[in-house]
Amino acid sequence: MYVYVVRPRDTLAAIAREFNTNEQELRQLNGLTGTALTPGISLLVPGPPSTLIHHTVGPGESQTIIARLYRIPEIAVAAANGLAPNAQLEIGQILFVPLPIAEKKHADVNGYLIPSGTEHDSQVVRESGELTYVTIFSYRASPAGDIIALPSQQALTEIKARGIAPLLCVTNFDGSNFNTELAHTILSNATLRQKVIAAIHQVLTSQGFRGINIDFEHMQPSDRPLYNEFIRELYQHMNPLGYSVSIAMGPKTRDEPGAAWMGAFDYKTLGSIVDFIMLMTYEWGWVGGPPMAIAPIDQVRAVLEYATSVIPADKILMGIATYGYDWRIPDTPNNLATGVSPNRAQNLAIERGTTVRFDPLSASPTFRYWVGSQEHEIWYEDPRSIMAKLHLVYEMGLRGISFWVLGQPFPQMWQLVADTFIVNQISRIRTTAERLLHMYLDEDAIAEARELPSTTEEAALATLFATLGDIKERYRHHPSSHKYQ
């Protein structure tokens, strides 16, 4: 798909003609409630699978030259940046240029789901696009080492029916906050750690989860080695049983072991232990803070550059926000923002007739509007901001992406996922195969095996048998070759 940034006096009919489609298709694709538009909103339009790459205009560059550089139609450059076809460019101007995908990447796609225990959970899963995992957020660890469950059966039934792997998320959330003392109580007591691990195992088995995702936050920096040990013990228990072990980690750009909140996350050690990591590359703009982008791409990139320097890139899922925030203006210390879905933000801008501005540094859309005498400012995600972030998955060789959170209306997002990736599906046979690969292969061979397509259980099983045959041949003269017979 290409992205089209609406310009003044544009009409949906004219855009549809320009890209050889019709108004109804554009409305459905972009979640529009009618044919009205407003300048600055980003629409998906027909085009080849593409991401968006940051380009700073150099001396003598024009739209024509840039289009030739990236081997794309000139109209695609103008469309993605809200430019008139013959508009002059300025040196230093930041553009986001469509970059066609030569070969789609296989990627893991995760979505966190907060279950309500109602039919609504099934609906959210049904209306979501292609997913590798749905992570149920969150079962809570108690000070006694028990796991406090959620009403997740409706969601689990639908997740399994769609062939998606459900993951169990366990946190130190106490019902109001991520509890620092609760985390310390569990981590500092070896017996209690083992009790929590046993309780997790029981939930995985009884409810049919396929893996465990730990999301401990606001830990004491001094608990860093204890958290490492807990995750190591958890992995040693779960991996032989065929369960994946993953963690969610907060964003940082360097290692400061004594830093509040983030000091407890030892990226390098934790990355060497777990199967994969959900990096929470969002919440720079947050409920209690000043108006700003939720996931500014310059900050996201900085976090990923550090993370990939100490963690294998093929273990990292980049976090993507599926929401925005609405602040009252002027901002005050007691001014708490309210959440808004990307689809609602887009349509609100249209209703109010306000122009959406795309901040080039953060690659994020924002606008202001009035309710009576009260001014508001919204920052959110749109197709342009998402396409720019998805480019990072290709550029940095990441394992995939992780959405926080499912259930926020954002129709363009699922089209972009399908357009950009071949979404991995995890079968039970594939899980068993990967466990055996870990038992018998070195890390390079494992990475190679993961690249093999496994769209069906039969293909995964064939891969397993072929791999085991190679193992037998490779090690038949090894002193312990009896292991491979």
Side-chain angles (χ1 to χ4, degrees), residues 409-422:
F410 194 178
Q412 300 108 320
M413 180 179 73
W414 298 116
Q415 180 63 49
L416 287 173
V417 168
D419 206 47
T420 308
F421 303 116
I422 298 171

Side-chain angles (χ1 to χ4, degrees), residues 1 26-32 41-44 342-343 346-347 380-384 386-387 390 409-419:
M1 305 297 288
L26 289 182
R27 286 179 60 181
Q28 184 174 351
L29 186 60
N30 293 284
L32 297 170
I41 63 167
S42 296
L43 303 178
L44 285 185
N343 189 241
Q346 166 195 275
N347 291 333
Y380 66 110
E381 299 289 335
D382 71 357
R384 191 159 41 154
I386 295 296
M387 290 175 76
L390 295 184
F410 194 178
Q412 300 108 320
M413 180 179 73
W414 298 116
Q415 180 63 49
L416 287 173
V417 168
D419 206 47

Side-chain angles (χ1 to χ4, degrees), residues 83 88 97 111 141 148 170 193 202 240 260-261 299 323-324 326 364 373 384 392 432 457 485:
L83 300 172
Q88 297 297 305
V97 180
I148 302 169
V170 172
R193 291 199 305 267
Q202 193 278 327
W261 311 136
Q299 298 292 340
Y323 59 91
D326 183 332
S364 298
S373 60
R384 191 159 41 154
L392 298 177
T432 303
E457 293 199 350
Q485 303 304 317

Side-chain angles (χ1 to χ4, degrees), residues 424-439:
N424 292 327
Q425 299 297 314
I426 307 298
S427 71
R428 288 188 182 277
I429 290 177
R430 185 67 174 186
T431 303
T432 303
E434 288 215 349
R435 180 162 56 88
L436 289 170
L437 290 174
H438 273 286
M439 291 168 63

Side-chain angles (χ1 to χ4, degrees), residues 42-59:
S42 296
L43 303 178
L44 285 185
V45 295
S50 308
T51 59
L52 284 178
I53 188 169
H54 175 284
H55 180 91
T56 302
V57 176

Side-chain angles (χ1 to χ4, degrees), residues 19 30 46 68 75 84 115 120 128 173 198 208 230 249 258 261 278 295 333 342 394 414 427 446 452 458:
F19 290 91
N30 293 284
R68 288 174 183 164
I75 188 177
H120 177 69
S128 298
F173 195 72
F230 171 57
M249 290 203 301
W261 311 136
M278 286 76 155
Y394 279 84
W414 298 116
S427 71
I446 292 168
L452 296 171
E458 289 79 12

Side-chain angles (χ1 to χ4, degrees), residues 90-105:
E90 297 180 5
I91 295 174
Q93 185 176 350
I94 295 174
L95 301 180
F96 288 88
V97 180
L99 188 66
I101 297 169
E103 183 178 352
K104 280 191 183 183
K105 175 184 175 66

Side-chain angles (χ1 to χ4, degrees), residues 130-317:
E130 295 181 81
L131 289 160
T132 310
Y133 315 102
V134 171
T135 302
I136 302 295
F137 184 92
S138 73
Y139 285 46
R140 306 200 309 260
S142 79
D146 303 313
I147 300 298
I148 302 169
L150 288 176
S152 57
Q153 194 52 54
Q154 288 263 14
L156 286 171
T157 299
E158 190 66 35
I159 291 165
K160 294 171 188 177
R162 285 194 54 195
I164 300 167
L167 301 184
L168 167 68
C169 183
V170 172
T171 71
N172 62 322
F173 195 72
D174 62 9
S176 300
N177 299 288
F178 285 94
N179 191 309
T180 303
E181 285 306 314
L182 173 58
H184 178 72
T185 296
I186 293 168
L187 298 176
S188 62
N189 186 317
T191 302
L192 198 54
R193 291 199 305 267
Q194 290 304 314
K195 187 175 180 182
V196 169
I197 291 170
I200 289 171
H201 185 184
Q202 193 278 327
V203 175
L204 292 174
T205 303
S206 64
Q207 298 193 24
F209 285 98
R210 302 285 292 285
I212 173 66
N213 177 251
I214 299 295
D215 182 10
F216 275 26
E217 300 183 32
H218 293 186
M219 293 178 286
Q220 297 175 7
S222 58
D223 282 342
R224 175 179 168 125
L226 295 174
Y227 185 60
N228 287 347
E229 186 59 25
F230 171 57
I231 298 302
R232 185 177 290 109
E233 291 169 352
L234 180 68
Y235 186 85
Q236 290 170 348
H237 183 99
M238 298 301 173
N239 177 255
L241 301 173
Y243 294 110
S244 67
V245 176
S246 61
I247 57 175
M249 290 203 301
K252 62 182 182 179
T253 57
R254 58 185 179 276
D255 193 25
E256 296 179 292
W261 311 136
M262 295 302 162
F265 291 124
D266 182 346
Y267 271 33
K268 185 174 184 178
T269 299
L270 292 168
S272 70
I273 296 170
V274 299
D275 293 306
F276 51 93
I277 289 166
M278 286 76 155
L279 273 187
M280 294 184 280
T281 42
Y282 40 75
E283 282 290 281
W284 277 269
W286 63 291
V287 169
M292 65 177 294
I294 315 304
I297 199 167
D298 55 329
Q299 298 292 340
V300 172
R301 175 182 286 279
V303 171
L304 290 173
E305 285 175 347
Y306 169 64
T308 54
S309 74
V310 292
I311 302 169
D314 65 359
K315 285 190 174 187
I316 296 173
L317 276 68

